[in-house]
Amino acid sequence: MRLTVIGTGYVGTVHAACMADIGHEVLGIDIDAERIASLSAGHAPVHEPGLSELLARTVRSGRLRFTTSLAQGSRFARTHFVCVGTPQRPDGKAADLRHVDAVIDGLVPHLRPGSLVVGKSTVPVGTAARLGRRVATAASDCQVAWNPEFLREGSAVHDTMHPERIVVGVTSERADAVLRRVYGHMLRAGAPYFRTDPATAELVKVASNSFLAAKISFINAMAEVCEAAGADVRLLARAVGADSRIGPRFLAPGLGFGGSCLPKDIRAFTARAEELGANEVVALLNEVDRINTRQRARTVELARKLVDGDFTGRRIGVLGASFKPGSDDVRDSPALAVAEAMQDEGAHVRVHDPEALDSARAARPGLGYALDVHKACEEADLVLHLTAWPEYGRLDPAALAAVVRRPLLLDARNALDEESWRAAGWHLHALGRPLRHEADLAVDGVS
């Protein structure tokens, strides 16, 4: 089939390259001419495992091309995927749909009869119906369907090629048939396929993200109880997660979630639920958001306690800048929020990250950065582990101890091997875990 993918950011680039790789002819469209030129040369716009190789391969094959022209896209195909961003509005919690609306406004004058516009952007429920009325004013039998994406940064290529489910919100048999043909490769491999109405498809995405966010906030709320009770949240999470009705995934206690999806999606869902009068959902999601944001403050509070209640003049080494491992995305990064909060209180902060230093420098230019872990921690009074990159789990604790001023570590992700770090002389602390020795808070003068 011939397809267009409108919007060549994270979701659009991955979708376009994967669709071309399974045999479709794909034309990627974006208003950013510089990005289009880079993509046409086979260069991925983001760090995502496997994407660079996939993009280069599909561009070389000729099945994937790029343009800035919606008119050219309409001449090229009758099936158009909309993959532009829907960030949080600057004046509130609701999703900003300007980019989605701009695509529809630009595409409608060029649509050919029988065109299908397929939304993949995360939008408030009711958006597809509103856009459908606009698209219906174009050429005959033009329709809108909604096909939400469920990509995880760090495994987006795999998630697209081997989806856990495909959800399509359609209003006709023809739209359903088109999307079954688009995803035929995945369906033949056994991917579950859910045909719904557009409103349900829109809600599936935000409901899924809200549930995952609620699991994370739940275990972090339990971490605070564990601290007060002298219990260990890691052991609690393992035992709770062993229940097959609950499962262990997303029960990782620590600094909480960030990124471009979960925070803004639950806030946009809250705003839409409030508009619809679903007040119980509003209360639930507001609390999920509050607990998650509170984890950042709690991390700063514990770090402050570990340096005798005052960051002024303290040297802090920070391990991690991206909001999660496997990505260079620093949007709403908990790690950078904590680093900046400590620096605002007078600390000298130096941040390391395996992939996200350029993104972090652009987002938070006032922080210090280091290309080498040991340089980031040199003469540090405290080291914070804020992003759970596998590289940090493979560090030599003894070698790192040799460069710091105090072997004092706050593992805000509960991901490092406690015994090996303690054996190397480190005093390790974490959210939701009791202190093993009261003397740990009096290391080299720290009380």
Side-chain angles (χ1 to χ4, degrees), residues 147-376:
N147 169 220
E149 53 85 13
F150 301 99
L151 306 186
R152 299 166 296 171
E153 292 198 34
S155 60
V157 171
H158 179 273
D159 292 345
T160 302
M161 301 298 277
H162 308 279
E164 292 181 330
R165 79 281 209 196
I166 298 169
V167 177
V168 299
V170 296
T171 57
S172 72
E173 294 296 330
R174 183 177 68 82
D176 180 56
V178 168
L179 288 168
R180 286 181 182 273
R181 187 179 172 196
V182 168
Y183 293 115
H185 178 86
M186 290 78 175
L187 297 179
R188 288 189 293 273
Y193 183 88
F194 295 89
R195 175 181 171 174
T196 75
D197 56 88
T200 301
E202 291 166 326
L203 283 172
V204 167
K205 174 60 186 290
V206 292
S208 296
N209 278 358
S210 297
F211 183 78
L212 296 176
K215 285 190 75 173
I216 297 169
S217 285
F218 171 81
I219 200 60
N220 284 332
M222 294 302 100
E224 196 157 3
V225 176
C226 285
E227 289 174 20
D232 190 326
V233 71
R234 297 171 304 164
L235 302 178
L236 181 145
R238 291 173 197 160
V240 168
D243 188 325
S244 61
R245 298 168 300 176
I246 299 171
R249 296 179 66 186
F250 282 77
L251 285 181
L255 187 51
F257 56 82
S260 62
C261 290
L262 290 188
K264 66 98 174 173
D265 286 355
I266 65 170
R267 291 165 193 161
F269 193 13
T270 301
R272 184 59 175 143
E274 192 167 20
E275 291 172 354
L276 296 171
N279 294 325
E280 292 301 319
V281 174
V282 172
L284 171 64
L285 296 181
N286 278 337
E287 189 63 14
V288 168
D289 195 14
R290 188 197 68 79
I291 291 171
N292 184 64
T293 302
R294 165 73 176 142
Q295 288 304 101
R296 305 176 189 194
R298 291 186 63 232
T299 300
V300 174
E301 289 167 7
L302 180 52
R304 187 187 302 112
K305 183 177 181 181
L306 291 172
V307 293
D308 202 22
D310 188 359
F311 285 118
T312 304
R314 300 290 190 176
R315 293 186 178 277
I316 310 292
V318 169
L319 305 183
S322 60
F323 86 93
K324 66 177 290 187
S327 172
D328 62 353
D329 194 343
V330 299
R331 287 174 290 181
D332 200 12
S333 165
L336 289 184
V338 168
E340 192 165 67
M342 294 186 295
Q343 180 156 292
D344 287 346
E345 293 189 32
H348 300 295
V349 178
R350 192 173 291 166
V351 180
H352 174 270
D353 191 280
E355 294 290 345
L357 284 188
D358 289 343
S359 301
R361 282 194 185 97
R364 312 272 180 137
L367 291 171
Y369 297 96
L371 293 172
D372 178 76
V373 171
H374 292 82
K375 190 68 176 177

